[in-house]
Amino acid sequence: MTLPAQNLLADEASPYLQQHSGNPVHWRAWSPASLEEAKALDRPILLSVGYAACHWCHVMAHESFENHDVAAVMNRLFVNIKVDREERPDIDQIYMAALSSMGEQGGWPLTMFLTPDGKPFWGGTYFPREPRYGRPGFIQVMEAVDKAWREKRASLNQSADGLTTHVEARLSAAHAKALLDRDTLSDLAGRISGMIDRDLGGLRGAPKFPNAPFMLTLWLSWLRDGNPTHRDDVLISLEQMLGGGIYDHIGGGLSRYSTDAEWLVPHFEKMLYDNAQLIRFCNWAYAASGNDLFRTRIEETVEWLLREMRVDGGAFAASLDADSDGEEGLFYTWTREEIEAILGDDSGLFFKHFTLSSPHGWEGKPVVHQTRAQQTQSVAARERLIPLKTELLTAREGRVRPGLDAKALTDWNGLMIAALAEAGRSLARPDWIDAAAKAFAHISAASRDGRLPHSMLGVRKLFPALSSDYAAMANAAISLFEASGNWRYVDQASRFIEQLDRWHVDAEGTGHYLTASDSTDVPIRIRGDVDEAIPSATSQIIEALVRLASVTGDLELQERAWKIAEHAAGRAAQQAYGQAGIINACALAIEPLKLVVVDRLEDPTLVTVANRRPDPRRVDIIAAIGSEANRPLLPGGIFPPTNRAGAWLCTGQLCLPAVSDPQELEHLLRRQ
């Protein structure tokens, strides 16, 4: 079969694919029909993977995909397939691993050449239209690939077979299980700590990414083993990025990463997952340090989220673009003259607390950031600065806005729902918990035959879900249960795990695949072990199983979580840095914490202590004095007495004696 000789992206649900629907390239979305066309025409596939907020994706699109001469070569020589990596992370991970196996540096846009049956044989990332930056021009690349395909096909096929086998072994093979060992987390945390920039935070060098899985390794090490260096590694990293230009000081929210070592000039795209993880880390950091900086940044980031990222139904959009009006960062940057014109006499107060910088090599307007002293002063002066930032924000709204990728991704929403529920508990913001509950209800209601979609854009839904979707939503359900006490969220989490097992579990019951068993268009069914900007699907699954078992007291589920963690640990032993999320999840499996609190909910004392001492290792269950518990809450199927206030802290199947004094509970949770 062959598809129409035209661009077929106009009806796709992905805004990124729709952005390319006007290209003269005969783009197809990834589908069984597109793969069949390549076989029918006996042509190689040109696969281009990107995402809506990707700056260099836009550059390559403008230079090459919008150019009729380039498009003519693409249409003549290849079947051209466009993939939104956020819609199809399973496809992206396969071909990114292939590029890495070729010894190439990964990134987006990902440009790969495949045999008609989808096996990779050569690729790269961004290619300029004309030769520059020491890179060949894109037409040269395509003509060279075509020549090799015509003259050396047997060799290319052999190379593609070998590369595919290598990628399959790396991403989907089984390894012997490993015993879950406390030392694994400590060893990894020590190695990560050795790479931390003690002055600037984050990993040494540039570019600088938040790297949430590494930060969680350090934080878990601090919580469990009391290593203050690991705590400070995280606190300093957070403080530095929250003072840098990577943070939007006018409107709130964190950009994807910094291009330099000082967190100063970001690629200005804002991703939902980065900000979900920022909220969680700031929540823990505020509890541990009492530094109001972290509380302030949570409040600013949630304000941004609810103002700019909510879509129909209350779910959250995937990202905001880096570019507006064709220029990166234009929406977010300012000249001194612009600020003075808007603020007038108040501009002196603004510049007392904020700095504008144009570092070497940056061609845009200056970037707003703060020195350490300004950061400290601005927290104390926050009420005086809010009206100034409001004026600047109002003026900024008159600019050409960056593009919004309005699709709601289920797993990213799960991360944000959990973050909002947890921060809402800790900071006594029931409105945040309500926003989380609304997003959760909208995504849950989009299910079809009990199965979640992976992505939604209005009425368009992309089925089936990935394993990461079920895991993230199960974790979100448990966080909403902790915040609300509503056991229906626990039941929902159980249903998500049932669907996860039905469609994603492997034949031996030792783990899960990222892609569902009835997905017919993946050349390799991978496990989802590798961390990206967020913890891997496997790590989120283990966390969900451990937390659900802890809430329900289900010993069979606890055993399953342990078994899956052991096998994941065996795979992670081969590449711990890339699978830190699994190491972190295994640490939760080794020592799960559960806190059961009975309190007077209309005037709580113990609950207040639990709320202000969040701990990623712990699940909290709250019951009202006088209520009749309808489920066992303590290990061994025991119902705690509910005729008086009390708190029981349990590790696995063992509980410490109940405490009833708030100060005693505070001391107990700090010590843990």
Side-chain angles (χ1 to χ4, degrees), residues 481 485-495 548 550-554 594 596 598 621-623 627-642:
F481 162 71
N486 189 335
W487 282 90
R488 284 181 296 181
Y489 285 117
V490 177
D491 296 336
Q492 184 67 277
S494 296
R495 287 194 287 272
L548 184 59
S550 189
V551 169
T552 60
D554 185 334
K594 175 160 77 171
V596 177
V598 176
I621 303 176
I622 312 299
S627 66
E628 291 190 19
N630 61 356
R631 311 189 190 210
L633 301 177
L634 298 176
I638 298 172
F639 294 91
T642 60

Side-chain angles (χ1 to χ4, degrees), residues 3-31 34 46-50 61 65 74 80-84 87 457 460:
L3 297 171
Q6 64 190 61
N7 188 310
L8 301 179
L9 299 184
D11 293 329
E12 291 298 318
S14 160
Y16 174 67
L17 296 187
Q18 290 177 7
Q19 286 173 8
H20 291 81
S21 63
N23 295 165
V25 178
H26 295 166
W27 287 120
R28 286 85 173 84
W30 185 277
S31 69
S34 301
L46 194 165
L47 174 68
S48 177
V49 183
F65 304 149
M74 295 174 68
N80 301 290
I81 298 180
K82 203 56 158 127
V83 166
D84 180 344
E87 274 198 335
L457 183 68
R460 297 173 177 172

Side-chain angles (χ1 to χ4, degrees), residues 558-592:
Q558 183 178 323
E559 286 297 317
R560 283 197 57 227
W562 187 270
K563 178 181 179 181
I564 289 167
E566 284 186 318
H567 284 271
R571 300 192 301 272
Q574 313 301 315
Q575 41 183 326
Y577 286 127
Q579 299 181 16
I582 289 176
I583 306 300
N584 299 337
C586 289
L588 302 182
I590 292 171
E591 294 173 302

